[in-house]
Amino acid sequence: MGTENAAAPSAAEGDLPSFVPEGQTLLVSCFDAHHTIGGGLFAIGRGTQGAEVVDRVSSSGMVLGDDGLLHRCLWSADGSPAELVTYDTTGVRRYHRLDNVSTPHDLLPVGRNVLVAATMQNEVRCVGPDGEAVWSWHAPGEPDSWHVNSLALYRGQPVVCGFGQYLRRRGWDENGKPASGRVVRLDTGEPVLEGLRAPHNPWYEDGTWLICDSAAGELVEFDDATRRPTRALTVPGWPRGLVVTDRYVFVGLSPHRHAASSVATAAVAVVDRHRWSLAGLLDLSAREVYALALVPDAVAAGVRTGFGTNATRVHEQGQRQLFDQLGVQPRRLWAIGDRLTPHESRARLTLTGPQGTRHEPRGTAHQAAEALVSGADVAVVEAEPESLVTFTCTVRNIGSALLTPAPPYPVRVTHRWFDAEGKEVTTQSLRSALTRSIPPGDDERVPMRARVPSVPGRYRLRVTLTQDDGEPFDLQDELSGTDVVVDAVVREARYVQLRAFGIAPVDAAAARTAGPLADDMVRALLHRPTGEPDGLVLGRIEDLGRSAFTTAVAQALDCTDAALDDTVAKLLPEPSQALLTGAEAVALAALRSSDALGAGRAFATIEDGALAAAFARLGTLAGARDAQDALAQAAGASQAKHGAAVAVLTSDAELLGASVALAASHGSGTAPLVLAAPASDGPALALLRATPQPARSWYDCGSASERDADASAADFAASVRQALRTAADAPSGPVLLTLSPEAAVRPWVPLSVLGQEVVEPRGSEAVPVAPAVDGPLGRALREAVARPYPRGVFVAGGRHATGGDAPPYRAVPFALGRALAEPEARVLCLVDGAAFAEGLPALAVARRELARLVLVVAEAEGVAETGVRSGGEVPSPVRMAEALGVSARRVSPTALALTLAELADHSGPVVIELLPREVCDA
């Protein structure tokens, strides 16, 4: 690629209006975000002397549609709505206010609609002829993280420029303005041009691209076939705004703060395409150029007319403005920001927080915040660590001088963070410009943003004003500041869809800060911290589809799927590269074997073990008090859906604790898969080997990882599949699968050998009401199962268990497992006081999981036998349930049927304590 420098020609070398084609006018839109000499609309043509000032309204995007209508976007600062004006040859045809669009950039007509680059909102919005949004494309990241700007058509598809796929606001600035700019398709997010520095105004025709590489100060030509630059021309300024004719290219130039040879104000240059050199240059009395448009002279005449199509109105307004028109163009449009004295540096600030702001009594807020936050309550905002939180700050000037955003010493809204100990915390420095000059006694609303500290916790955000090179106002006048309390917490709802792919919210939040780009987050989600592809995530993508994963990531980043399609497709590793740990392989296979993805449940004590962690990642894990509860809960779940429940035993001690119930469970009518990782030389395996029949079937994979890697993995996968098939067969007892702790932790099982075979679990009939339960209690339970609980399931435990010997499983955990596996059913469990007290941990799990479980406690005095006491007294089952937050009733046996009917639609567990017969008789 050849790069040439273009020195600015003198006026004699090229009279720019002479390059404009006959019968056409070059319109130039300008704006001023720096509050200096202003912007406006200029016209250049064969009949003009230099540049004609059409109006002095700052503008950005401007484009002529195929229908002959000219669309113009009026500039608006952050927090103010943009305005879209459409002209024809007569004047203004349409005007629309674009709410929730600020700092707008480019426009592109598509049919009868107009695409608007809403830069601050990080989106492209399609606006219909009525001014309403038809659809929008939203890039991932915070406001203005991509700096979406110019729009164009490429092979019939809209494309948009951006400075990079950053996740933080103005991330390209934080990263040194690298060559991360790109032009991407809106339908897929695929980049068509890359490696640019602040690109603007892509133009495509017949296999050739022209684009303004603004930060590089170059006009660049690309070959579409190779997507590589063929030549570049250095221009004297920041190029932005482009019109291409057969022979010439008109380029808008703005001052480039880092180039000594840059123009001093806005200008328009003309480039000879054949000679690839600068042929003319014309200065404009404005700050910055945004867009150029070549329009027929008749359209330019309509633009000049503007809103003046009604002669009567124009005459009346003109008469009133005669005395205001001095005919002198001021040197500066805005007030000058002189230094302020301490007495002038005074204001009162009021913050309006984002949605979700709550108020806490002062006593619950942090002490450091209470001392400074006025009012009876303290405003508390929840925001994610490292996120950008947005407020509206109302500034009232109570000093004696003008507060202005103009240089050389503009006034800005600034802030400081303080932690729980009152120490200042350093985060990204963000300052918000005033939206206008504020006279004494006046007020103005200013949008402001602050970067939340990276460590979760409670913070105080102190907001004040600061003049450049000056002290914060609140250090001179304590009341010239205000405070808000911010709780930095991970918002799990943002990441909820990623749970289905084995990604916990805390891990998703960490991935969001893995690097500056959206690519970095997607890459972190798809790989382990060590850099290898995450087999469990890739396995779930195989199950649910790449598009579902893209949608989940898009929700986490609050963007449209199309903005990430290409990124996910590009970064998704091949499944053949992915390895699973032994624990992950079993968890994924168990989930695939359930009758519907997500229906299978696993039960484990709350321990930090590889097996429990794998099931927790898949969202199928429920807690248990100990190994016997875990086994009972899995047994109850497998009664509802054979093969869809797993008891996870994470240590030798747990396997030993469950061994008695495991050995006694043959013929129990349940078939849970019992998964354990005992030490190969520990007592648990020795005991099992000495037991004649420790389970209905036993698959010992403890040494699987010690043989040849490929054969070992294939054998292991085959054993897991066979264990799941066995558990799904007609039940006569649990199925045991053991593997070594090392095999459970190490990634060694290729995802490809696991396969996607689904073992369909079979249903089972509800266990009938026990015949031994008779009298009013038996009749009430029969009526409950038959009428208000048509999908009801009956479980009995304690003294009410039937069949002679006590069952091998605890009643309440067993009933809980059944309820969790069949959430559409209502499970009734009849227990005595002792069994109820033993089942309290399971009841707590039921409350957390909102299980539809009804515990009927008869002979409640058995609670005393368990030694459960509170303050020297034995609490009743009702009091014990209510202490856990579970609904509870105390009724007579004769009122049981009516009570059960009343609670038929109750969500979550319920405890019903039956009054003793002597109490009822009394």
Side-chain angles (χ1 to χ4, degrees), residues 100-311:
N100 300 318
V101 173
S102 56
T103 65
H105 279 54
D106 210 11
L107 303 173
L108 177 68
V110 177
R112 299 181 66 240
N113 303 324
V114 178
L115 302 186
V116 181
T119 305
M120 185 58 66
Q121 286 69 38
N122 224 32
E123 72 176 22
V124 174
R125 185 173 301 181
C126 180
V127 178
D130 59 356
E132 297 298 320
V134 179
W135 53 263
S136 64
W137 176 94
H138 200 102
E142 297 171 348
D144 196 13
S145 62
W146 277 36
H147 199 76
V148 294
N149 53 76
S150 301
L151 296 156
L153 284 177
Y154 169 64
R155 301 184 185 276
Q157 290 293 330
V159 296
V160 66
C161 279
F163 288 3
Q165 290 182 299
Y166 295 96
L167 295 179
R168 287 163 64 102
R169 182 168 185 256
R170 300 185 66 86
W172 66 92
D173 274 344
E174 283 190 314
N175 289 273
K177 299 181 179 64
S180 57
R182 52 176 51 189
V183 180
V184 300
R185 292 177 49 156
L186 293 188
D187 58 342
T188 64
E190 174 193 0
V192 294
L193 295 179
E194 296 182 273
L196 297 160
R197 296 180 60 202
H200 290 91
N201 311 109
W203 175 89
Y204 174 79
E205 187 176 90
D206 298 333
T208 298
W209 287 93
L210 287 175
I211 192 167
C212 294
D213 198 4
S214 302
E218 295 178 338
L219 174 67
V220 186
E221 181 182 82
F222 279 81
D223 177 67
D224 186 46
T226 63
R227 301 283 173 87
R228 299 181 65 82
T230 53
R231 56 182 179 172
L233 179 69
T234 300
V235 295
W238 176 278
R240 180 176 54 204
L242 196 69
V243 162
V244 182
T245 67
D246 291 340
R247 177 67 188 271
Y248 299 105
V249 180
F250 295 92
V251 184
L253 298 178
S254 301
H256 195 313
R257 68 184 67 173
H258 303 297
S261 60
S262 171
V263 293
T265 62
V268 176
V270 60
V271 175
D272 188 314
R273 294 182 67 182
H274 295 170
R275 298 178 179 178
W276 199 241
S277 62
L278 204 61
L281 183 70
L282 181 64
D283 291 334
L284 304 173
S285 57
R287 169 72 184 188
E288 297 184 63
V289 176
Y290 186 81
L292 307 180
L294 194 62
V295 304
D297 288 344
V299 174
V303 174
R304 291 184 181 95
T305 301
F307 284 97
T309 52
N310 183 330

Side-chain angles (χ1 to χ4, degrees), residues 817-828:
R818 178 77 193 234
L820 292 176
E822 200 171 7
E824 69 279 4
R826 175 70 89 175
V827 176
L828 278 72

Side-chain angles (χ1 to χ4, degrees), residues 25 37 179 181 197 263 354 384 466 564 581 607 670 744 807 869 879 909:
T25 300
I37 62 175
R197 296 180 60 202
V263 293
E384 290 200 79
T466 305
L564 288 173
T581 68
E607 289 190 5
T670 65
R869 294 183 177 274
R879 287 179 55 192

Side-chain angles (χ1 to χ4, degrees), residues 211-499:
I211 192 167
C212 294
D213 198 4
S214 302
E218 295 178 338
L219 174 67
V220 186
E221 181 182 82
F222 279 81
D223 177 67
D224 186 46
T226 63
R227 301 283 173 87
R228 299 181 65 82
T230 53
R231 56 182 179 172
L233 179 69
T234 300
V235 295
W238 176 278
R240 180 176 54 204
L242 196 69
V243 162
V244 182
T245 67
D246 291 340
R247 177 67 188 271
Y248 299 105
V249 180
F250 295 92
V251 184
L253 298 178
S254 301
H256 195 313
R257 68 184 67 173
H258 303 297
S261 60
S262 171
V263 293
T265 62
V268 176
V270 60
V271 175
D272 188 314
R273 294 182 67 182
H274 295 170
R275 298 178 179 178
W276 199 241
S277 62
L278 204 61
L281 183 70
L282 181 64
D283 291 334
L284 304 173
S285 57
R287 169 72 184 188
E288 297 184 63
V289 176
Y290 186 81
L292 307 180
L294 194 62
V295 304
D297 288 344
V299 174
V303 174
R304 291 184 181 95
T305 301
F307 284 97
T309 52
N310 183 330
T312 301
R313 174 172 53 80
V314 172
H315 172 71
E316 288 182 349
Q317 289 180 324
Q319 291 295 313
R320 295 180 184 277
Q321 293 172 359
L322 280 177
F323 294 101
D324 298 329
Q325 296 175 353
L326 302 179
V328 178
Q329 173 68 34
R331 184 176 63 87
R332 295 182 60 88
L333 181 63
W334 308 108
I336 297 176
D338 290 330
R339 288 192 182 277
L340 300 172
T341 66
H343 184 72
E344 294 169 335
S345 304
R346 300 173 64 222
R348 295 293 178 265
L349 279 62
T350 305
L351 286 184
T352 303
Q355 288 186 352
T357 301
R358 67 180 191 275
H359 288 80
E360 293 183 356
R362 289 178 63 83
T364 63
H366 186 264
Q367 185 177 4
E370 289 180 34
L372 290 172
V373 179
S374 61
D377 294 340
V378 177
V380 179
V381 174
E382 283 192 359
E384 290 200 79
E386 281 284 323
S387 69
L388 203 62
V389 62
T390 303
F391 298 91
T392 297
C393 180
T394 301
V395 179
R396 183 167 185 80
N397 183 358
I398 65 168
S400 57
L402 192 71
L403 303 181
T404 177
Y409 304 109
V411 175
R412 309 176 194 270
V413 179
T414 59
H415 62 269
R416 305 188 300 279
W417 290 94
F418 298 90
D419 64 12
E421 283 71 41
K423 298 178 181 177
E424 189 167 346
V425 178
T426 301
T427 68
Q428 182 186 17
S429 177
L430 297 175
R431 302 180 299 167
S432 303
L434 301 182
T435 52
R436 66 174 177 88
S437 296
I438 309 175
D442 202 357
D443 54 25
E444 178 66 6
R445 298 174 64 189
V446 180
M448 64 149 292
R449 294 178 174 86
R451 178 73 60 192
V452 179
S454 59
V455 179
R458 172 160 285 190
Y459 297 88
R460 176 170 60 91
L461 175 65
R462 177 70 167 167
V463 180
T464 187
L465 300 178
T466 305
Q467 189 174 33
D468 281 12
D469 294 333
E471 281 194 334
F473 281 22
D474 67 325
L475 296 184
Q476 305 171 67
D477 170 31
E478 185 178 349
L479 297 179
S480 292
T482 188
D483 300 83
V484 65
V485 176
V486 178
D487 283 341
V489 295
V490 174
R491 291 179 177 172
E492 295 196 5
R494 179 188 294 272
Y495 309 107
V496 65
Q497 290 192 36
L498 286 170
R499 280 186 176 277

Side-chain angles (χ1 to χ4, degrees), residues 10 14-15 92 126 132 216 248 372 481 491 496 517 525 634 713 731 875 887 895 903:
S10 65
D15 181 20
V92 172
C126 180
E132 297 298 320
Y248 299 105
L372 290 172
R491 291 179 177 172
V496 65
L517 302 175
L525 293 174
S887 296
L903 297 171

Side-chain angles (χ1 to χ4, degrees), residues 48-111:
T48 64
Q49 294 295 322
E52 172 196 350
V53 178
V54 177
D55 62 43
R56 279 295 182 177
V57 181
S58 283
S59 309
S60 52
M62 181 176 59
V63 62
L64 182 68
D66 293 337
D67 54 5
L69 298 178
L70 179 77
H71 306 280
R72 175 189 181 189
C73 197
L74 306 186
W75 177 254
S76 68
D78 184 14
S80 299
E83 297 168 297
L84 178 61
V85 184
T86 301
Y87 302 85
D88 59 14
T89 56
T90 303
V92 172
R93 177 78 171 269
R94 292 193 296 264
Y95 167 88
H96 295 299
R97 189 185 72 223
L98 304 181
D99 292 336
N100 300 318
V101 173
S102 56
T103 65
H105 279 54
D106 210 11
L107 303 173
L108 177 68
V110 177

